[in-house]
Amino acid sequence: MIRSLLLLLVSFISIFSYAGRISGTVTDESGAALGFASVYIKGTTRGTTANSQGKYFLNLDPGTYTIVCQYVGYQRQEKEVRIGVESVVQDFVLPIQASTLGEVVIRNGEDPAYEVIRQAIKKRDFYNKQVDSFVVDVYIKGLMRSRGLPKKFFGQEIEIDSSDGLDSLGRGILFLSESVTRVSYKEPNKVKFDVISSRQSGGGIGLSFPFFISFYQNNVVLLDNAINKRGFISPIADNALHYYRYKLEGTFFEDKKMINRIKVIPRRKNEPLFSGYINIVEDDWRIHSLELLTTKEYQLELLDSLRVTQDHVPVSPEIWRTKNQVIYLATKKFGFDITGNFVNVYNDYDLDPGFTKKTFGRVFMKYDSAYNKKDSLYWDQVRPVPLEADEKQDYKFKDSVAVIERDSMFSRARLDSLRKNQKPVTLKNIIWSGTYRNIYNSKFVGSYRIEPLIPKLQYNTVEGLAMQVIQRLRIFPRKAKQEYRLDWYTRYGFSNGHLNSFADFTIRQRNQSYRNRYLKFSGGKRLSQFNQEEPIDPLSNTVYTLIAKKNYAKFYENWFGGIEYHNKFENGLDWKVNLVYEDRLPVQNSTDFSFFNKDRVFLPNHPYELTSIPFNRHQALVAGITFQYQPGQRYIEMPRNKIPIGSNWPTFELQYNKGINKLAGSDVDFDKWKFSVFDNINLKLKGEFRYRLSIGGFLNDNRVEIPDLQHFNGNQTFYNTKYLNSFQLAPYYRYSNSEAFYFVGHAEHHFNGLLTNKIPLFNRLKWNLVAGANTFYVNRNNYYVEGFVGLENIFKVFRVDFVTAWQPGTGNSYGVRIGLGGIFDGRVRFTRD
């Protein structure tokens, strides 16, 4: 009886609390769907966006409303609708925008569009800064579809798992998510995102970051500059007339206001520009709506095309804001054929939010504690963009698979199935591609990997041919807060017959991963380079030893044991402390074999530049501590952890190492310090500037062995990858020292097409200019200066530098260096605007 009364009460409340619903379809006069058309209540910013099939819905309280439907290039329609407790169907058929050129007067051969654009440019800054602060709720929907996948990628077969939701040809939905985020903003650059709800098909945090794209800014940022660091030039930027041509296609009227429809035409290719249409309100000279496209011909990286549509509506009589925005993208590379769209629907603008001092802080984005706990009824109520049939199926299928996998993760049947379905280990795996095995247990899961043998082979004059066996074991206990990792390295030199083996055992916190908190124990016997930053990698040394008969790498063996602890505070302070004990053993060349240059003699293993410093067996106990701090660090705050996203400030780093004398038989005695500051500064159209500056020296140099000296990372090979941390033409050990003070400076500017986009051939190839300098100074007899200019993004991967250097005693030297400078150079981060 009580249960029946409760159900009756709930039903009674629902009748009065549930809003009515208006739904329908938006099409053109031929019946074709107008995907992502804007539908909203006149006089408000409350509304929705139709899906790609033109279907829409709105949940409204009972009453009478004027519903506005608009789509770029089509005539806006308004319809009065009465909403009750029952659903109302209201379709919209939009005719193509009827525009007229009857009143247009062409003077001096110039299209009237130019005068409209000039007026819009004059008002650009006003509208850009018109709103000092606001709060708005944004619905974000992200969708990525695959239209086909390659059978192999870089030689590896691509296997399509049925749980991915793709068909046998790799077609289907790759990514689907939706979220509701409340955005708070205050000039000049304070912003906070509060994620109210978010979901991703198959599980995950989803896409909760609204892409605010403002064409009132001179430089338009698309997807946080991830697809072009330079940004794109707005059609109403201050200097837009130098980059665009314009054509007035016609005018039309809405709410007694005349709207100019203007075609935007790039003047030349290979500049970061748009093409398409922008509609400008006469007299007010504000943006009414736009549809703009950019492609790989206009410096779009990674993607083939990206199209942005926006509708702007009045929030108050004098203020208009973006109502809805859709980003369409497409790319077809390496056999991957992918399309996608990202929909932002902006509702309930508050232009007088009354922020307090506590509104904005270090938290950039905060997820509600129940952000991923919302059920389907909730999403049906808040979702302004109806799901399409395959999207509903994708949610249903992938969410069901995720539930089954989660519930059965540690079940006996599940574990037995996972063990059984693992591929057997083959000889090819062991020799060339590596062996990987998952470990399944009712109490833990993990993985075990043996790195491939052939790619790890090395050759040097100390060991001759050296074979390495690298094993990696990771364990994740089901209920523990830590994970455990064991990395075991074993190598054997066939020429000197030495066996070296050591291991790292790491305990890492699983929660609060942003802090990267771990404790590592290391020990065994190893072969180390005198410069522990390893200025020459094993592959380069192998090639130069066998082909050019030049043995650049210099080694010593050591029995060692060490401990290291790392942690990071929420204020951005990152610190690491370590203690290592080494019993250092000298080693000599044991082979003189080389394929070529038989008459050339290998240099001794002891660096010839340091012949005045003997290297005999000794012991060293060295303690070190490193502090790294980036002011203004901001975070994404999840219910259980935080994720750092950096800041616009440079990073500061302080290192201190102490050679402890006599304790545990240690022979060394020194105090060594180094202070650095480094940053990447995005200058948008002017390129990106990167620098690293350091000062340091020895406070005490009572006994400093070769491994403990201050080494500068030289480079005597034909290629370089350690930009901003090396000297491209410097010898490896000529400038090593234990002086009281030194200065190091690295700087380079990536023009990102600023100059080369105006040079024929270079602009078609998209090769970009880079230039810079590296220097250090110790004293009058120990300094180095080099300058370089180069080209990067060659075949999207390579970089070539032409370098000249000045060194005391040797004068000028010249050289060419090849490295990576394209899609493998750079990182996604928040950089200074």
Side-chain angles (χ1 to χ4, degrees), residues 364-392:
F364 175 77
M365 175 179 282
K366 183 176 182 179
Y367 282 76
D368 185 85
S369 58
Y371 79 95
N372 58 350
K373 303 292 193 301
K374 312 297 184 181
D375 58 19
S376 58
L377 292 177
Y378 165 85
W379 286 106
D380 288 342
Q381 290 295 316
V382 303
R383 179 189 298 116
V385 182
L387 293 179
E388 299 174 22
D390 64 339
E391 295 172 349
K392 294 179 181 178

PDB file of all heavy atoms in Angstrom, residues 364-392:
ATOM      1  N   PHE A 364      41.905  25.013 -12.998  1.00  0.00           N
ATOM      2  CA  PHE A 364      41.469  25.462 -14.320  1.00  0.00           C
ATOM      3  C   PHE A 364      40.158  24.776 -14.715  1.00  0.00           C
ATOM      4  O   PHE A 364      39.272  25.399 -15.292  1.00  0.00           O
ATOM      5  CB  PHE A 364      42.562  25.140 -15.336  1.00  0.00           C
ATOM      6  CG  PHE A 364      42.210  25.430 -16.763  1.00  0.00           C
ATOM      7  CD1 PHE A 364      42.221  26.724 -17.237  1.00  0.00           C
ATOM      8  CD2 PHE A 364      41.871  24.405 -17.640  1.00  0.00           C
ATOM      9  CE1 PHE A 364      41.899  27.005 -18.556  1.00  0.00           C
ATOM     10  CE2 PHE A 364      41.558  24.664 -18.952  1.00  0.00           C
ATOM     11  CZ  PHE A 364      41.568  25.970 -19.410  1.00  0.00           C
ATOM     12  N   MET A 365      40.050  23.506 -14.414  1.00  0.00           N
ATOM     13  CA  MET A 365      38.853  22.734 -14.714  1.00  0.00           C
ATOM     14  C   MET A 365      38.575  21.804 -13.544  1.00  0.00           C
ATOM     15  O   MET A 365      39.476  21.124 -13.063  1.00  0.00           O
ATOM     16  CB  MET A 365      39.027  21.929 -16.007  1.00  0.00           C
ATOM     17  CG  MET A 365      37.869  20.989 -16.326  1.00  0.00           C
ATOM     18  SD  MET A 365      38.096  20.084 -17.886  1.00  0.00           S
ATOM     19  CE  MET A 365      37.660  21.359 -19.064  1.00  0.00           C
ATOM     20  N   LYS A 366      37.331  21.781 -13.067  1.00  0.00           N
ATOM     21  CA  LYS A 366      36.957  20.949 -11.933  1.00  0.00           C
ATOM     22  C   LYS A 366      35.780  20.063 -12.302  1.00  0.00           C
ATOM     23  O   LYS A 366      34.754  20.538 -12.790  1.00  0.00           O
ATOM     24  CB  LYS A 366      36.602  21.812 -10.723  1.00  0.00           C
ATOM     25  CG  LYS A 366      36.270  21.001  -9.481  1.00  0.00           C
ATOM     26  CD  LYS A 366      36.017  21.901  -8.284  1.00  0.00           C
ATOM     27  CE  LYS A 366      35.731  21.082  -7.028  1.00  0.00           C
ATOM     28  NZ  LYS A 366      35.507  21.950  -5.854  1.00  0.00           N
ATOM     29  N   TYR A 367      35.947  18.776 -12.071  1.00  0.00           N
ATOM     30  CA  TYR A 367      34.890  17.799 -12.339  1.00  0.00           C
ATOM     31  C   TYR A 367      34.051  17.590 -11.078  1.00  0.00           C
ATOM     32  O   TYR A 367      34.587  17.371  -9.992  1.00  0.00           O
ATOM     33  CB  TYR A 367      35.488  16.471 -12.783  1.00  0.00           C
ATOM     34  CG  TYR A 367      35.937  16.448 -14.222  1.00  0.00           C
ATOM     35  CD1 TYR A 367      37.109  17.086 -14.607  1.00  0.00           C
ATOM     36  CD2 TYR A 367      35.186  15.807 -15.200  1.00  0.00           C
ATOM     37  CE1 TYR A 367      37.527  17.086 -15.932  1.00  0.00           C
ATOM     38  CE2 TYR A 367      35.593  15.796 -16.524  1.00  0.00           C
ATOM     39  CZ  TYR A 367      36.767  16.440 -16.887  1.00  0.00           C
ATOM     40  OH  TYR A 367      37.174  16.427 -18.202  1.00  0.00           O
ATOM     41  N   ASP A 368      32.749  17.666 -11.227  1.00  0.00           N
ATOM     42  CA  ASP A 368      31.848  17.380 -10.120  1.00  0.00           C
ATOM     43  C   ASP A 368      32.066  15.948  -9.632  1.00  0.00           C
ATOM     44  O   ASP A 368      32.413  15.052 -10.411  1.00  0.00           O
ATOM     45  CB  ASP A 368      30.400  17.566 -10.566  1.00  0.00           C
ATOM     46  CG  ASP A 368      29.412  17.397  -9.429  1.00  0.00           C
ATOM     47  OD1 ASP A 368      29.174  18.380  -8.720  1.00  0.00           O
ATOM     48  OD2 ASP A 368      28.901  16.276  -9.249  1.00  0.00           O
ATOM     49  N   SER A 369      31.876  15.726  -8.325  1.00  0.00           N
ATOM     50  CA  SER A 369      32.127  14.398  -7.757  1.00  0.00           C
ATOM     51  C   SER A 369      31.251  13.321  -8.384  1.00  0.00           C
ATOM     52  O   SER A 369      31.589  12.140  -8.356  1.00  0.00           O
ATOM     53  CB  SER A 369      31.904  14.426  -6.241  1.00  0.00           C
ATOM     54  OG  SER A 369      30.581  14.839  -5.942  1.00  0.00           O
ATOM     55  N   ALA A 370      30.113  13.719  -8.971  1.00  0.00           N
ATOM     56  CA  ALA A 370      29.215  12.746  -9.605  1.00  0.00           C
ATOM     57  C   ALA A 370      29.105  12.991 -11.107  1.00  0.00           C
ATOM     58  O   ALA A 370      28.079  12.678 -11.716  1.00  0.00           O
ATOM     59  CB  ALA A 370      27.838  12.811  -8.951  1.00  0.00           C
ATOM     60  N   TYR A 371      30.174  13.537 -11.702  1.00  0.00           N
ATOM     61  CA  TYR A 371      30.105  13.916 -13.116  1.00  0.00           C
ATOM     62  C   TYR A 371      29.799  12.736 -14.038  1.00  0.00           C
ATOM     63  O   TYR A 371      29.155  12.884 -15.078  1.00  0.00           O
ATOM     64  CB  TYR A 371      31.411  14.575 -13.548  1.00  0.00           C
ATOM     65  CG  TYR A 371      32.543  13.617 -13.836  1.00  0.00           C
ATOM     66  CD1 TYR A 371      32.801  13.170 -15.118  1.00  0.00           C
ATOM     67  CD2 TYR A 371      33.350  13.137 -12.795  1.00  0.00           C
ATOM     68  CE1 TYR A 371      33.837  12.289 -15.373  1.00  0.00           C
ATOM     69  CE2 TYR A 371      34.381  12.263 -13.044  1.00  0.00           C
ATOM     70  CZ  TYR A 371      34.619  11.832 -14.329  1.00  0.00           C
ATOM     71  OH  TYR A 371      35.640  10.947 -14.583  1.00  0.00           O
ATOM     72  N   ASN A 372      30.242  11.538 -13.665  1.00  0.00           N
ATOM     73  CA  ASN A 372      30.051  10.361 -14.525  1.00  0.00           C
ATOM     74  C   ASN A 372      29.020   9.387 -13.964  1.00  0.00           C
ATOM     75  O   ASN A 372      28.977   8.225 -14.344  1.00  0.00           O
ATOM     76  CB  ASN A 372      31.382   9.629 -14.717  1.00  0.00           C
ATOM     77  CG  ASN A 372      31.994   9.189 -13.400  1.00  0.00           C
ATOM     78  OD1 ASN A 372      31.543   9.581 -12.326  1.00  0.00           O
ATOM     79  ND2 ASN A 372      33.036   8.378 -13.483  1.00  0.00           N
ATOM     80  N   LYS A 373      28.168   9.888 -13.046  1.00  0.00           N
ATOM     81  CA  LYS A 373      27.165   9.023 -12.414  1.00  0.00           C
ATOM     82  C   LYS A 373      25.759   9.272 -12.953  1.00  0.00           C
ATOM     83  O   LYS A 373      24.790   8.725 -12.441  1.00  0.00           O
ATOM     84  CB  LYS A 373      27.169   9.242 -10.897  1.00  0.00           C
ATOM     85  CG  LYS A 373      28.513   9.014 -10.209  1.00  0.00           C
ATOM     86  CD  LYS A 373      28.908   7.552 -10.235  1.00  0.00           C
ATOM     87  CE  LYS A 373      30.073   7.241  -9.297  1.00  0.00           C
ATOM     88  NZ  LYS A 373      31.299   8.002  -9.604  1.00  0.00           N
ATOM     89  N   LYS A 374      25.640  10.119 -13.970  1.00  0.00           N
ATOM     90  CA  LYS A 374      24.312  10.469 -14.484  1.00  0.00           C
ATOM     91  C   LYS A 374      23.742   9.339 -15.339  1.00  0.00           C
ATOM     92  O   LYS A 374      24.459   8.706 -16.124  1.00  0.00           O
ATOM     93  CB  LYS A 374      24.392  11.749 -15.317  1.00  0.00           C
ATOM     94  CG  LYS A 374      25.167  12.897 -14.651  1.00  0.00           C
ATOM     95  CD  LYS A 374      24.519  13.374 -13.387  1.00  0.00           C
ATOM     96  CE  LYS A 374      25.262  14.573 -12.815  1.00  0.00           C
ATOM     97  NZ  LYS A 374      24.683  15.061 -11.555  1.00  0.00           N
ATOM     98  N   ASP A 375      22.426   9.103 -15.198  1.00  0.00           N
ATOM     99  CA  ASP A 375      21.793   8.034 -15.961  1.00  0.00           C
ATOM    100  C   ASP A 375      21.213   8.557 -17.270  1.00  0.00           C
ATOM    101  O   ASP A 375      21.295   9.746 -17.584  1.00  0.00           O
ATOM    102  CB  ASP A 375      20.709   7.338 -15.121  1.00  0.00           C
ATOM    103  CG  ASP A 375      19.627   8.311 -14.653  1.00  0.00           C
ATOM    104  OD1 ASP A 375      19.505   9.404 -15.262  1.00  0.00           O
ATOM    105  OD2 ASP A 375      18.909   7.991 -13.693  1.00  0.00           O
ATOM    106  N   SER A 376      20.615   7.660 -18.038  1.00  0.00           N
ATOM    107  CA  SER A 376      20.097   8.019 -19.367  1.00  0.00           C
ATOM    108  C   SER A 376      18.947   9.017 -19.275  1.00  0.00           C
ATOM    109  O   SER A 376      18.756   9.843 -20.178  1.00  0.00           O
ATOM    110  CB  SER A 376      19.644   6.763 -20.110  1.00  0.00           C
ATOM    111  OG  SER A 376      18.656   6.066 -19.366  1.00  0.00           O
ATOM    112  N   LEU A 377      18.165   8.964 -18.189  1.00  0.00           N
ATOM    113  CA  LEU A 377      17.064   9.919 -18.034  1.00  0.00           C
ATOM    114  C   LEU A 377      17.605  11.341 -17.909  1.00  0.00           C
ATOM    115  O   LEU A 377      17.042  12.283 -18.470  1.00  0.00           O
ATOM    116  CB  LEU A 377      16.228   9.558 -16.799  1.00  0.00           C
ATOM    117  CG  LEU A 377      15.425   8.260 -16.892  1.00  0.00           C
ATOM    118  CD1 LEU A 377      14.697   7.987 -15.575  1.00  0.00           C
ATOM    119  CD2 LEU A 377      14.430   8.325 -18.053  1.00  0.00           C
ATOM    120  N   TYR A 378      18.698  11.482 -17.185  1.00  0.00           N
ATOM    121  CA  TYR A 378      19.320  12.798 -17.046  1.00  0.00           C
ATOM    122  C   TYR A 378      19.758  13.318 -18.410  1.00  0.00           C
ATOM    123  O   TYR A 378      19.470  14.471 -18.767  1.00  0.00           O
ATOM    124  CB  TYR A 378      20.516  12.710 -16.097  1.00  0.00           C
ATOM    125  CG  TYR A 378      21.436  13.916 -16.163  1.00  0.00           C
ATOM    126  CD1 TYR A 378      21.168  15.059 -15.424  1.00  0.00           C
ATOM    127  CD2 TYR A 378      22.560  13.915 -17.002  1.00  0.00           C
ATOM    128  CE1 TYR A 378      22.003  16.170 -15.493  1.00  0.00           C
ATOM    129  CE2 TYR A 378      23.397  15.025 -17.074  1.00  0.00           C
ATOM    130  CZ  TYR A 378      23.113  16.143 -16.324  1.00  0.00           C
ATOM    131  OH  TYR A 378      23.940  17.242 -16.405  1.00  0.00           O
ATOM    132  N   TRP A 379      20.440  12.482 -19.172  1.00  0.00           N
ATOM    133  CA  TRP A 379      20.949  12.931 -20.460  1.00  0.00           C
ATOM    134  C   TRP A 379      19.828  13.242 -21.437  1.00  0.00           C
ATOM    135  O   TRP A 379      19.934  14.149 -22.261  1.00  0.00           O
ATOM    136  CB  TRP A 379      21.905  11.888 -21.041  1.00  0.00           C
ATOM    137  CG  TRP A 379      23.223  11.885 -20.340  1.00  0.00           C
ATOM    138  CD1 TRP A 379      23.692  10.967 -19.454  1.00  0.00           C
ATOM    139  CD2 TRP A 379      24.237  12.892 -20.446  1.00  0.00           C
ATOM    140  NE1 TRP A 379      24.941  11.328 -18.997  1.00  0.00           N
ATOM    141  CE2 TRP A 379      25.294  12.501 -19.586  1.00  0.00           C
ATOM    142  CE3 TRP A 379      24.357  14.068 -21.158  1.00  0.00           C
ATOM    143  CZ2 TRP A 379      26.456  13.253 -19.441  1.00  0.00           C
ATOM    144  CZ3 TRP A 379      25.507  14.830 -21.024  1.00  0.00           C
ATOM    145  CH2 TRP A 379      26.537  14.422 -20.167  1.00  0.00           C
ATOM    146  N   ASP A 380      18.728  12.506 -21.343  1.00  0.00           N
ATOM    147  CA  ASP A 380      17.587  12.802 -22.210  1.00  0.00           C
ATOM    148  C   ASP A 380      17.012  14.182 -21.913  1.00  0.00           C
ATOM    149  O   ASP A 380      16.449  14.837 -22.801  1.00  0.00           O
ATOM    150  CB  ASP A 380      16.499  11.738 -22.028  1.00  0.00           C
ATOM    151  CG  ASP A 380      16.879  10.402 -22.638  1.00  0.00           C
ATOM    152  OD1 ASP A 380      17.793  10.382 -23.485  1.00  0.00           O
ATOM    153  OD2 ASP A 380      16.275   9.377 -22.273  1.00  0.00           O
ATOM    154  N   GLN A 381      17.139  14.632 -20.662  1.00  0.00           N
ATOM    155  CA  GLN A 381      16.612  15.931 -20.284  1.00  0.00           C
ATOM    156  C   GLN A 381      17.546  17.079 -20.660  1.00  0.00           C
ATOM    157  O   GLN A 381      17.100  18.150 -21.075  1.00  0.00           O
ATOM    158  CB  GLN A 381      16.349  15.959 -18.766  1.00  0.00           C
ATOM    159  CG  GLN A 381      15.184  15.089 -18.320  1.00  0.00           C
ATOM    160  CD  GLN A 381      13.861  15.598 -18.871  1.00  0.00           C
ATOM    161  OE1 GLN A 381      13.575  16.786 -18.855  1.00  0.00           O
ATOM    162  NE2 GLN A 381      13.039  14.682 -19.370  1.00  0.00           N
ATOM    163  N   VAL A 382      18.864  16.882 -20.491  1.00  0.00           N
ATOM    164  CA  VAL A 382      19.794  18.001 -20.688  1.00  0.00           C
ATOM    165  C   VAL A 382      20.394  18.039 -22.080  1.00  0.00           C
ATOM    166  O   VAL A 382      20.923  19.073 -22.494  1.00  0.00           O
ATOM    167  CB  VAL A 382      20.941  17.957 -19.649  1.00  0.00           C
ATOM    168  CG1 VAL A 382      20.382  17.959 -18.248  1.00  0.00           C
ATOM    169  CG2 VAL A 382      21.848  16.750 -19.868  1.00  0.00           C
ATOM    170  N   ARG A 383      20.333  16.955 -22.799  1.00  0.00           N
ATOM    171  CA  ARG A 383      20.984  16.907 -24.114  1.00  0.00           C
ATOM    172  C   ARG A 383      20.204  17.756 -25.113  1.00  0.00           C
ATOM    173  O   ARG A 383      19.059  17.448 -25.451  1.00  0.00           O
ATOM    174  CB  ARG A 383      21.046  15.456 -24.597  1.00  0.00           C
ATOM    175  CG  ARG A 383      21.673  15.301 -25.972  1.00  0.00           C
ATOM    176  CD  ARG A 383      21.514  13.884 -26.514  1.00  0.00           C
ATOM    177  NE  ARG A 383      22.184  12.902 -25.686  1.00  0.00           N
ATOM    178  CZ  ARG A 383      21.554  11.936 -25.025  1.00  0.00           C
ATOM    179  NH1 ARG A 383      20.231  11.843 -25.088  1.00  0.00           N
ATOM    180  NH2 ARG A 383      22.233  11.063 -24.298  1.00  0.00           N
ATOM    181  N   PRO A 384      20.800  18.834 -25.637  1.00  0.00           N
ATOM    182  CA  PRO A 384      20.088  19.667 -26.602  1.00  0.00           C
ATOM    183  C   PRO A 384      20.182  19.154 -28.038  1.00  0.00           C
ATOM    184  O   PRO A 384      19.417  19.585 -28.891  1.00  0.00           O
ATOM    185  CB  PRO A 384      20.793  21.023 -26.474  1.00  0.00           C
ATOM    186  CG  PRO A 384      22.181  20.681 -26.064  1.00  0.00           C
ATOM    187  CD  PRO A 384      22.081  19.434 -25.237  1.00  0.00           C
ATOM    188  N   VAL A 385      21.133  18.269 -28.305  1.00  0.00           N
ATOM    189  CA  VAL A 385      21.325  17.740 -29.654  1.00  0.00           C
ATOM    190  C   VAL A 385      20.905  16.275 -29.667  1.00  0.00           C
ATOM    191  O   VAL A 385      21.559  15.449 -29.016  1.00  0.00           O
ATOM    192  CB  VAL A 385      22.792  17.869 -30.111  1.00  0.00           C
ATOM    193  CG1 VAL A 385      22.954  17.350 -31.528  1.00  0.00           C
ATOM    194  CG2 VAL A 385      23.260  19.309 -30.012  1.00  0.00           C
ATOM    195  N   PRO A 386      19.842  15.912 -30.361  1.00  0.00           N
ATOM    196  CA  PRO A 386      19.387  14.518 -30.337  1.00  0.00           C
ATOM    197  C   PRO A 386      20.460  13.568 -30.866  1.00  0.00           C
ATOM    198  O   PRO A 386      21.197  13.880 -31.805  1.00  0.00           O
ATOM    199  CB  PRO A 386      18.174  14.529 -31.271  1.00  0.00           C
ATOM    200  CG  PRO A 386      17.751  15.952 -31.360  1.00  0.00           C
ATOM    201  CD  PRO A 386      18.992  16.764 -31.200  1.00  0.00           C
ATOM    202  N   LEU A 387      20.541  12.405 -30.234  1.00  0.00           N
ATOM    203  CA  LEU A 387      21.459  11.377 -30.722  1.00  0.00           C
ATOM    204  C   LEU A 387      20.918  10.758 -31.997  1.00  0.00           C
ATOM    205  O   LEU A 387      19.702  10.613 -32.181  1.00  0.00           O
ATOM    206  CB  LEU A 387      21.642  10.282 -29.667  1.00  0.00           C
ATOM    207  CG  LEU A 387      22.365  10.658 -28.375  1.00  0.00           C
ATOM    208  CD1 LEU A 387      22.414   9.453 -27.446  1.00  0.00           C
ATOM    209  CD2 LEU A 387      23.766  11.168 -28.651  1.00  0.00           C
ATOM    210  N   GLU A 388      21.821  10.384 -32.871  1.00  0.00           N
ATOM    211  CA  GLU A 388      21.428   9.672 -34.081  1.00  0.00           C
ATOM    212  C   GLU A 388      21.385   8.177 -33.789  1.00  0.00           C
ATOM    213  O   GLU A 388      21.857   7.708 -32.751  1.00  0.00           O
ATOM    214  CB  GLU A 388      22.405   9.996 -35.201  1.00  0.00           C
ATOM    215  CG  GLU A 388      22.418  11.485 -35.523  1.00  0.00           C
ATOM    216  CD  GLU A 388      23.491  11.865 -36.544  1.00  0.00           C
ATOM    217  OE1 GLU A 388      23.924  10.982 -37.295  1.00  0.00           O
ATOM    218  OE2 GLU A 388      23.892  13.034 -36.559  1.00  0.00           O
ATOM    219  N   ALA A 389      20.826   7.419 -34.716  1.00  0.00           N
ATOM    220  CA  ALA A 389      20.595   5.998 -34.469  1.00  0.00           C
ATOM    221  C   ALA A 389      21.888   5.249 -34.169  1.00  0.00           C
ATOM    222  O   ALA A 389      21.956   4.452 -33.223  1.00  0.00           O
ATOM    223  CB  ALA A 389      19.889   5.375 -35.677  1.00  0.00           C
ATOM    224  N   ASP A 390      22.943   5.496 -34.961  1.00  0.00           N
ATOM    225  CA  ASP A 390      24.185   4.761 -34.719  1.00  0.00           C
ATOM    226  C   ASP A 390      24.894   5.241 -33.455  1.00  0.00           C
ATOM    227  O   ASP A 390      25.640   4.488 -32.829  1.00  0.00           O
ATOM    228  CB  ASP A 390      25.113   4.849 -35.928  1.00  0.00           C
ATOM    229  CG  ASP A 390      25.582   6.263 -36.219  1.00  0.00           C
ATOM    230  OD1 ASP A 390      24.913   7.213 -35.772  1.00  0.00           O
ATOM    231  OD2 ASP A 390      26.615   6.419 -36.899  1.00  0.00           O
ATOM    232  N   GLU A 391      24.633   6.493 -33.039  1.00  0.00           N
ATOM    233  CA  GLU A 391      25.209   6.977 -31.784  1.00  0.00           C
ATOM    234  C   GLU A 391      24.547   6.293 -30.595  1.00  0.00           C
ATOM    235  O   GLU A 391      25.216   5.918 -29.617  1.00  0.00           O
ATOM    236  CB  GLU A 391      25.053   8.496 -31.697  1.00  0.00           C
ATOM    237  CG  GLU A 391      25.853   9.239 -32.757  1.00  0.00           C
ATOM    238  CD  GLU A 391      25.543  10.718 -32.802  1.00  0.00           C
ATOM    239  OE1 GLU A 391      24.560  11.152 -32.161  1.00  0.00           O
ATOM    240  OE2 GLU A 391      26.282  11.449 -33.485  1.00  0.00           O
ATOM    241  N   LYS A 392      23.235   6.144 -30.647  1.00  0.00           N
ATOM    242  CA  LYS A 392      22.535   5.413 -29.588  1.00  0.00           C
ATOM    243  C   LYS A 392      23.052   3.984 -29.502  1.00  0.00           C
ATOM    244  O   LYS A 392      23.288   3.469 -28.408  1.00  0.00           O
ATOM    245  CB  LYS A 392      21.029   5.399 -29.871  1.00  0.00           C
ATOM    246  CG  LYS A 392      20.362   6.762 -29.799  1.00  0.00           C
ATOM    247  CD  LYS A 392      18.879   6.636 -30.118  1.00  0.00           C
ATOM    248  CE  LYS A 392      18.192   7.997 -30.078  1.00  0.00           C
ATOM    249  NZ  LYS A 392      16.753   7.892 -30.440  1.00  0.00           N
TER     250      LYS A 392
END
